[in-house]
Amino acid sequence: MKRYTKQIDGKTVIKERNRIVINKDGMQTINPTHEMLLEDGWVEYVIPEPTEEELLLRAKAYVKNEIRRYDSSSEVNEFFINGLSVWLDKATRAGLKLRFEAEIAMGNENTSLWYNNMQFPLPLSQAMQMLYAIEIYASMCYDNTQAHYANVEALTTIEECEAYDYKVGYPEKLNF
């Protein structure tokens, strides 16, 4: 749909043609022709080309979105227990830490980790060490992701954005 623009009361107004009503000589034209619009002072609106700065901002936003997607994917959020792919989000890790600490305080020596209806029986000391390792891994991934965001913000050309490799620097996945 064509759009038109006109200065009205000192403001630039942009409307689709079918949204413009022309009032002239006490009459309203609800569906004006192109010629009627031009006669009433409307001009066809042409979307301006984006500036280099706008294009760079778009390129940076695109790369940051790709970083965000990669950071939340199994490319990063994954470790292995007995060869099985697993991920525990921060809230789950915090809950497990409280559980394991409570079980240790009660004198228990063993616990279970459940994931996708599978039970992994573990000595509590091993479960805590696993949880600490996962937390360190997650923190290292977070730090790397934040460094990528900062690196992208410092880029000065679209070409640098297109060439930026946001998949580097992540730690090796854990295997238990």
Side-chain angles (χ1 to χ4, degrees), residues 12-109:
T12 301
V13 176
I14 301 170
K15 289 186 174 184
E16 291 183 0
R17 187 180 125 207
N18 64 348
R19 302 262 186 216
I20 299 173
V21 175
I22 296 176
N23 292 305
K24 186 175 179 183
D25 300 328
M27 304 280 291
Q28 279 190 339
T29 304
I30 294 175
N31 194 13
T33 64
H34 176 75
E35 292 74 22
M36 295 168 109
L37 290 167
L38 295 178
E39 187 179 305
D40 194 50
W42 293 89
V43 292
E44 195 169 335
Y45 178 72
V46 178
I47 298 173
E49 292 293 321
T51 65
E52 284 296 316
E53 183 179 330
E54 289 170 330
L55 291 172
L56 179 58
L57 289 174
R58 288 180 193 174
K60 286 181 179 184
Y62 176 81
V63 175
K64 287 178 183 177
N65 188 52
E66 290 299 302
I67 293 168
R68 200 171 0 269
R69 285 183 41 207
Y70 187 76
D71 177 64
S72 62
S73 77
S74 63
E75 294 296 322
V76 174
N77 296 329
E78 179 182 62
F79 61 90
F80 299 95
I81 299 178
N82 298 333
L84 181 71
S85 171
V86 176
W87 184 245
L88 305 173
D89 63 28
K90 189 168 188 70
T92 302
R93 294 192 308 270
L96 285 172
K97 184 174 185 286
L98 286 172
R99 173 188 170 176
F100 296 162
E101 287 172 347
E103 288 176 335
I104 289 168
M106 294 303 294
N108 295 355
E109 293 182 13

Side-chain angles (χ1 to χ4, degrees), residues 103-144:
E103 288 176 335
I104 289 168
M106 294 303 294
N108 295 355
E109 293 182 13
N110 296 301
T111 190
S112 290
L113 175 64
W114 286 88
Y115 188 78
N116 284 346
N117 300 319
M118 292 186 66
Q119 182 184 27
F120 299 95
L122 298 164
L124 273 163
S125 60
Q126 183 182 351
M128 286 300 287
Q129 288 304 311
M130 180 187 297
L131 208 51
Y132 292 144
I134 295 165
E135 193 61 39
I136 294 298
Y137 171 84
S139 296
M140 290 170 63
C141 290
Y142 173 82
D143 290 346
N144 192 61

